[in-house]
Amino acid sequence: MSEAAPRARRVSMTDVARIAGVSQKTVSRVINDEPYVTDAVRERVLEVIDRVGFRPNEAARALVTQRTRRIGVVAMGGTAFYGPTSVLAGVESVARGAGYALSVMRTDPGEGADIQAAIDALAGQGAEAIVISEPVDFGRGPLSIPDGVEVLTFGMAPVTSSPRELVIGADEEASSRDATEHLLVQGHATVHHISGPMNWLSSQRRHEGWQRALADEGAPVTEPVEGDWTPAGGYAAMAAILEAGPCTSVFVANDQMAIGAMSAIQAAGLRIPEDVAVVGFDDIDVSAYLPVPLTTVRQDFAETSRIGMHRLLRALDGHAPESTHRTLRAHLVIRESSRNPSIR
């Protein structure tokens, strides 16, 4: 049996200092982005670090700086849903670009009580901040956040006990009201609704916007049918609505369910939008390229993630925000699925 080749020695800070012709302290200052290093020296040290492939020992650096540079993410709904997936992609991009590592814990969307356990586990791993994506209403008090841990929630309302919680999201209630009013303006006597799971806060807000628009116009409020965010759920919900009685328009809480609803409408021998007009929510990539392009509410998840994460990174650097809440606009994108429907 041949003798195993010796493992290559890891490049050390001492090696970097020797090659760059500076002290180890100077290398440490460059790595930790500390002052008292000239631009020329900083550039030389960074060039050596890149050339020799030096990687700082994160555990040792954390002991010195008292910073783990780790952010924990609690993501509900797994990776199948467009909103949480898009938010997570934006969070990862900004965090890694800023030199932070991510620890992601996923919780079952039907088991909201798991969120607190996930927060506790991430804090135990040394996370400096917790990001909560797509929060659900799990019937308990505010989530508990350890002292010294920053928190960012993607939504419209705080869900933790931290007075420093940063909250960012689109005004889903207002945009759902716009979507419903758009259908009413087309001449429909009322608008049916396929909601998301009602333990999701986003489902509740979209439901409230739909209901308020009908109330403001004095239109009849039909019983909403709850879906599960999937095309299959949208198909089943739409089939139930059509079976229950006449329907000329429907506002669906996300585009995936709207696609299923459109399939159910066509399977019933009805036309879109001549017989039933459809509006979705999210503006997923395929929405514009369906056989009947889907009218929908566009949320800019990339911009929401970018702004939210930049605010969180500033908080981690000790900068208090002027406001803990930030609301972004969502826009109704009108396409063929709701244009010129038959007046009922």
Side-chain angles (χ1 to χ4, degrees), residues 300-324:
D300 192 338
F301 290 108
E303 181 71 357
T304 301
S305 299
R306 184 189 67 80
I307 293 174
M309 284 299 293
H310 283 175
R311 299 184 84 209
L312 181 64
L313 295 177
R314 282 185 54 81
L316 286 170
D317 287 337
H319 302 287
E322 293 183 4
S323 171
T324 57

Side-chain angles (χ1 to χ4, degrees), residues 97-121:
Y100 282 82
L102 283 187
S103 293
V104 180
M105 298 197 73
R106 306 186 190 279
T107 63
D108 189 318
E111 297 292 339
D114 290 346
I115 301 173
Q116 184 64 62
I119 290 172
D120 294 341

Side-chain angles (χ1 to χ4, degrees), residues 49-69:
I49 287 173
D50 183 64
R51 174 156 49 90
V52 302
F54 173 69
R55 295 294 178 267
N57 184 315
E58 294 298 334
R61 185 162 72 174
L63 287 173
V64 174
T65 64
Q66 300 298 303
R67 296 284 303 272
T68 63
R69 298 193 72 81

Side-chain angles (χ1 to χ4, degrees), residues 239-309:
I241 289 173
L242 294 173
E243 185 177 350
C247 169
T248 67
S249 68
V250 59
F251 167 53
V252 190
N254 80 333
D255 285 356
Q256 290 182 336
M257 290 194 299
I259 290 170
M262 294 168 79
S263 181
I265 291 166
Q266 293 167 332
L270 301 171
R271 300 166 299 166
I272 304 167
E274 291 84 358
D275 297 314
V276 184
V278 181
V279 175
F281 204 106
D282 281 343
D283 197 22
I284 64 177
D285 293 343
V286 73
S287 295
Y289 303 100
L290 297 169
V292 181
L294 177 63
T295 295
T296 183
V297 174
R298 175 181 295 161
Q299 294 192 86
D300 192 338
F301 290 108
E303 181 71 357
T304 301
S305 299
R306 184 189 67 80
I307 293 174
M309 284 299 293

Side-chain angles (χ1 to χ4, degrees), residues 161-214:
S161 59
S162 172
R164 295 168 55 85
E165 178 181 358
L166 299 171
V167 179
I168 186 168
D171 192 338
E172 295 167 294
E173 182 179 340
S175 53
S176 297
R177 192 165 62 244
D178 290 344
T180 306
E181 288 172 352
H182 162 70
L183 290 168
L184 293 173
V185 165
Q186 303 300 307
H188 297 281
T190 190
V191 179
H192 288 71
H193 181 45
I194 299 174
S195 75
M198 288 305 291
N199 65 324
W200 287 62
L201 297 178
S202 56
S203 298
Q204 296 171 15
R205 290 190 290 268
R206 296 173 198 187
H207 174 273
E208 289 165 6
W210 161 78
Q211 193 172 47
R212 180 167 296 183
L214 295 180

Side-chain angles (χ1 to χ4, degrees), residues 136-158:
V136 298
D137 180 2
F138 54 100
R140 294 174 48 179
L143 298 163
S144 177
I145 301 294
D147 291 342
V149 176
E150 302 290 346
V151 59
L152 167 66
T153 296
F154 287 97
M156 282 297 294

Side-chain angles (χ1 to χ4, degrees), residues 15-30:
D15 297 324
V16 173
R18 176 177 52 79
I19 296 169
V22 298
S23 67
Q24 289 188 51
K25 179 61 177 176
T26 297
V27 175
S28 176
R29 283 176 173 159
V30 171

